[in-house]
Amino acid sequence: MKKKDIGIRLGNSTASRSIYFHGLVVLVFALLGLRMFYLQVYQEKKYKYLSERNRVKFRRIDAPRGNIYDSRNELLVTNGAGYRLVYLNERKIDEKTLKEISQLTGYDEEYIAKRVKYGEIFPYTRENVLIEDLDPHKALKIMEKLSDYPYLQVQTYSKRKYLFDTLASHVLGYVKKISVKEYEELKDKGYTPRDKIGKEGVEKVYDEDLQGKDGYDYIEVNALNRAQKIIRNQPPVSGQDLHLTLDMRLQRYMENVFKEGKYTGAFIALEAKTGKVITMVSYPNYSLTTFSSQISYDEWNKILHDPRRPLSNKAISGEYPPGSTFKPFIAFSFLKDGLDPNFKIFDNGYYQIGKWKWRAWKRGGHGYVDMKKSIVESVNPYYYKFADDYGYEGMVNVTKSFGFGKDTGIDVSGEKNGVLPTPEWKKKTWNQGWFKGDTINMSIGQGYVLTSPMQIAVAYSILANRGVAYKPHVVDYLERDGKKEYIKPEVLYKVNYPASYYRVMNDAMEGVVDLKDGTGKVLRTPGLEIAAKSGSAQNSRYEKTHAWIAGYFPAKNPQIVFTVLLEGAGGGGSEAGPVAKKFIDKYLEYYGKEN
């Protein structure tokens, strides 16, 4: 019997299997084709960018920072070569590599591991900075061995170079890497987290002018991330140069005077008719090279705990009781309140209110005293009496017009305002009322009154110019490619007091130097008339008084204003006076009496 064929196939047909197989192959290749089309056509720009990014690296070229010169074109600050060590594997490191880097650099493995993990990674190049400020000698040794360390690179960059290290350190300031806080404040001005910026002095105030404009390289690299060739380049533009008003011959000389005398304090000399500062000393000074580099904990701790506070710019941020250098301005307030400068009182050695006595510095007193004698011999009871008679308001208003209690706006960072006390100020600050004793102490530059040496210099400029002071400045002009931008003299204060007030005060201040009992007779200089006022200010830090002297010359046509402050040195005439005299003699040696 034959079996009936019912037309069912169980998969043993070769033709059928072939059709299914070819269909599957076509489908796979179709999908691959579609994927290739998507990647090569639709996503072409993306993957071309990623490919180029792996092949081409961007490298920023730091713009050379502008140089700084003194008034005679002596170079003070420029740029030299700095070295940094970078790691090319971002944050990946093994024990063997860690040990090799430690042995090569001399840094312990823990430090290197922390730098790899937390150190700065440059954008674009992805280089991890291990050591930012590499010692030049060590850098050159490492460079000789780099072929054995393909994961390391020594980079050269422009580093600030201070040719005289400590000279005029408070005026110049220094440059260091931008902090996180500073970056947040400055990023809208185009600063980056990699930038080095001015931290103090003119380096800070004129940072944007000194910075210049960075350039860049686009570099082709190989599979090992090694540079092969520069594809495109934009050269950097150098920052502007600063030309200072300071004469470094005088600056060196006066800093040496402070060094030899072991003084702590400040000295200022400026041009009365322009505000140009020709000398500005704050002593002790500090090393700009140290602060612009990596400073060790021991070095920082030593500076921080130095009782003479070398980081403080005493010329503009030191706040001191001015003592008797304040008296000429208090005398102006008496004149304004109607006091006849020829009116005499008798000084028996003290001024008394009830049971309270305020004494003269001279035992037994100065006898009969008018305004001129009160300045020449620095007679305290004269000021006690008329301060008590006229009150504090006139003194505050007049001294405020001479700039006390306000900053001068000098182009050096860190200036402070000082204190010009009032009853409102005392209530707010100390939660206390105002007493007669406060008024009396204020009249001789004691009590709550605090001034900086620069404020004194500016106030004496008003006396010298008979009513005008120019804003003090230490930069004369900025220059790039031969084009100069001058800082023009700017009137800071203009006060309208009668010419007679200035004649009275100038005559009295000349007497401080010329008369037998003058407290500033140490300044006497043949052929040169000098007007000055000394001061000795009690303070809470030292057993001895602060020593002050301030003045100007030539007295009839003033060109130079000077101020000396010596912390805890003693009498103003006996201690600060000789320092001022040394400056005057050296100035005349360089410039002559005709200037």
Side-chain angles (χ1 to χ4, degrees):
M1 179 177 178
K2 290 185 178 179
K3 292 182 180 180
K4 187 177 180 180
D5 186 356
I6 58 176
I8 297 173
R9 299 289 183 266
L10 298 176
N12 58 346
S13 171
T14 303
S16 177
R17 287 198 301 271
S18 177
I19 290 170
Y20 290 146
F21 176 76
H22 283 93
L24 181 62
V25 170
V26 169
L27 179 62
V28 170
F29 275 92
L31 290 173
L32 289 173
L34 287 172
R35 181 62 177 168
M36 290 175 67
F37 177 82
Y38 174 78
L39 295 176
Q40 293 183 5
V41 178
Y42 190 74
Q43 294 279 62
E44 176 193 12
K45 290 184 179 180
K46 175 184 175 181
Y47 287 100
K48 185 177 181 182
Y49 165 75
L50 293 174
S51 174
E52 285 294 307
R53 185 173 177 183
N54 287 331
R55 184 179 70 89
V56 178
K57 299 295 185 183
F58 173 90
R59 181 175 67 192
R60 188 178 81 165
I61 306 173
D62 296 334
R65 197 171 173 88
N67 294 331
I68 302 178
Y69 301 85
D70 86 333
S71 62
R72 300 172 60 254
N73 229 29
E74 181 179 3
L75 181 62
L76 307 175
V77 185
T78 186
N79 304 294
Y83 302 92
R84 67 169 70 96
L85 183 67
V86 299
Y87 179 62
L88 302 178
N89 292 339
E90 298 191 26
R91 303 220 183 273
K92 297 177 293 183
I93 194 167
D94 54 37
E95 290 298 323
K96 178 176 178 293
T97 304
L98 193 63
K99 188 173 183 179
E100 288 175 349
I101 297 175
S102 175
Q103 290 174 346
L104 178 68
T105 62
Y107 287 84
D108 61 50
E109 292 183 26
E110 182 182 0
Y111 175 84
I112 299 298
K114 284 183 178 179
R115 293 298 299 176
V116 171
K117 187 175 182 180
Y118 301 111
E120 177 188 9
I121 293 184
F122 290 161
Y124 305 108
T125 61
R126 308 306 298 165
E127 297 158 343
N128 189 337
V129 181
L130 293 185
I131 303 172
E132 176 64 42
D133 190 19
L134 197 58
D135 176 77
H137 182 68
K138 185 174 288 187
L140 294 175
K141 279 193 169 184
I142 292 174
M143 289 167 75
E144 293 174 357
K145 303 175 182 178
L146 275 182
S147 59
D148 298 329
Y149 304 90
Y151 47 80
L152 292 178
Q153 190 178 88
V154 174
Q155 295 179 347
T156 305
Y157 64 94
S158 179
K159 182 183 176 182
R160 214 54 169 155
K161 186 175 183 181
Y162 299 94
L163 300 183
F164 303 103
D165 196 19
T166 61
L167 182 65
S169 56
H170 296 90
V171 175
L172 296 173
Y174 59 92
V175 169
K176 215 170 181 71
K177 189 175 181 295
I178 192 170
S179 68
V180 174
K181 182 181 178 182
E182 289 165 334
Y183 170 65
E184 288 300 321
E185 293 172 352
L186 296 171
K187 63 183 179 182
D188 291 341
K189 294 184 178 181
Y191 285 80
T192 75
R194 280 187 57 191
D195 283 329
K196 287 183 166 58
I197 64 170
K199 296 286 187 172
E200 298 290 347
V202 296
E203 290 274 31
K204 180 176 182 178
V205 174
Y206 292 90
D207 187 71
E208 290 184 55
D209 302 294
L210 289 161
Q211 282 281 358
K213 186 176 180 181
D214 293 336
Y216 60 83
D217 284 335
Y218 280 104
I219 306 167
E220 184 178 284
V221 297
N222 62 18
L224 295 175
N225 206 30
R226 296 295 187 186
Q228 299 299 297
K229 64 180 180 180
I230 295 174
I231 298 172
R232 188 160 30 124
N233 166 263
Q234 176 66 51
V237 178
S238 299
Q240 295 191 79
D241 294 336
L242 297 187
H243 291 258
L244 304 184
T245 58
L246 271 62
D247 183 334
M248 283 300 149
R249 297 175 303 177
L250 292 170
Q251 184 77 22
R252 280 191 192 91
Y253 177 75
M254 291 308 297
E255 287 192 15
N256 195 52
V257 167
F258 273 72
K259 182 179 179 180
E260 289 182 349
K262 297 181 180 178
Y263 297 124
T264 297
F267 174 82
I268 297 166
L270 54 81
E271 292 182 359
K273 301 187 188 312
T274 65
K276 290 182 180 181
V277 179
I278 62 173
T279 311
M280 191 166 99
V281 174
S282 176
Y283 200 86
N285 44 26
Y286 63 94
S287 168
L288 296 173
T289 302
T290 296
F291 270 82
S292 62
S293 304
Q294 284 188 322
I295 185 169
S296 71
Y297 174 80
D298 289 339
E299 286 177 305
W300 173 244
N301 199 46
K302 181 180 178 182
I303 293 168
L304 196 63
H305 291 91
D306 188 329
R308 298 199 298 165
R309 297 167 298 154
L311 297 182
S312 167
N313 186 345
K314 296 170 179 60
I316 62 172
S317 63
E319 296 176 302
Y320 307 94
S324 294
T325 58
F326 203 56
K327 286 177 179 174
F329 313 104
I330 298 298
F332 259 65
S333 76
F334 295 162
L335 292 171
K336 191 172 184 293
D337 283 331
L339 179 63
D340 180 348
N342 296 313
F343 181 79
K344 294 182 179 181
I345 67 163
F346 185 80
D347 169 31
N348 61 1
Y350 61 88
Y351 181 72
Q352 185 168 0
I353 301 176
K355 64 178 182 178
W356 300 100
K357 284 184 179 182
W358 290 267
R359 297 189 179 278
W361 64 266
K362 184 178 181 181
R363 186 179 294 275
H366 297 261
Y368 287 99
V369 180
D370 59 10
M371 184 170 284
K372 179 176 181 177
K373 188 175 180 179
S374 79
I375 293 291
V376 170
E377 298 183 21
S378 206
V379 182
N380 289 343
Y382 182 90
Y383 294 86
Y384 301 153
K385 172 178 169 43
F386 291 113
D388 188 23
D389 287 351
Y390 294 124
Y392 73 87
E393 288 185 346
M395 294 193 299
V396 169
N397 291 336
V398 170
T399 53
K400 191 174 183 179
S401 73
F402 279 91
F404 293 104
K406 296 174 282 186
D407 66 65
T408 68
I410 188 172
D411 52 349
V412 178
S413 62
E415 185 175 20
K416 291 186 178 179
N417 294 335
V419 176
L420 187 59
T422 62
E424 295 75 22
W425 172 88
K426 189 181 179 188
K427 183 67 176 176
K428 182 179 178 180
T429 306
W430 299 103
N431 196 29
Q432 294 178 358
W434 188 266
F435 305 112
K436 273 186 179 287
D438 295 324
T439 301
I440 287 172
N441 285 332
M442 181 181 178
S443 73
I444 61 165
Q446 292 281 179
Y448 297 107
V449 183
L450 295 175
T451 67
S452 71
M454 183 57 74
Q455 287 175 316
I456 292 289
V458 168
Y460 275 74
S461 294
I462 298 176
L463 297 178
N465 292 326
R466 310 304 194 258
V468 176
Y470 292 90
K471 187 176 179 178
H473 56 99
V474 300
V475 172
D476 191 14
Y477 62 91
L478 297 86
E479 182 179 23
R480 180 161 52 203
D481 299 329
K483 186 178 180 181
K484 298 178 181 179
E485 179 187 343
Y486 282 89
I487 307 298
K488 296 179 181 178
E490 178 184 342
V491 173
L492 179 64
Y493 300 121
K494 191 170 186 179
V495 295
N496 296 310
Y497 296 113
S500 61
Y501 291 13
Y502 296 102
R503 286 196 296 270
V504 167
M505 199 51 53
N506 186 76
D507 180 53
M509 288 170 59
E510 283 191 68
V512 169
V513 179
D514 294 339
L515 296 181
K516 175 174 65 74
D517 293 324
T519 58
K521 52 183 176 287
V522 70
L523 297 181
R524 290 176 188 171
T525 303
L528 182 67
E529 292 179 329
I530 300 171
K533 181 71 190 82
S534 65
S536 305
Q538 294 176 340
N539 62 91
S540 59
R541 286 194 66 206
Y542 298 92
E543 290 184 10
K544 292 183 178 180
T545 58
H546 293 326
W548 285 94
I549 198 161
Y552 50 83
F553 62 89
K556 297 296 189 289
N557 181 29
Q559 302 298 313
I560 301 298
V561 176
F562 61 88
T563 301
V564 180
L565 176 279
L566 306 178
E567 291 185 6
S574 60
E575 298 297 331
V579 172
K581 173 61 173 168
K582 288 179 179 179
F583 167 79
I584 293 168
D585 290 343
K586 186 58 67 173
Y587 177 88
L588 296 177
E589 178 185 326
Y590 291 142
Y591 292 97
K593 294 175 184 176
E594 66 275 9
N595 292 319

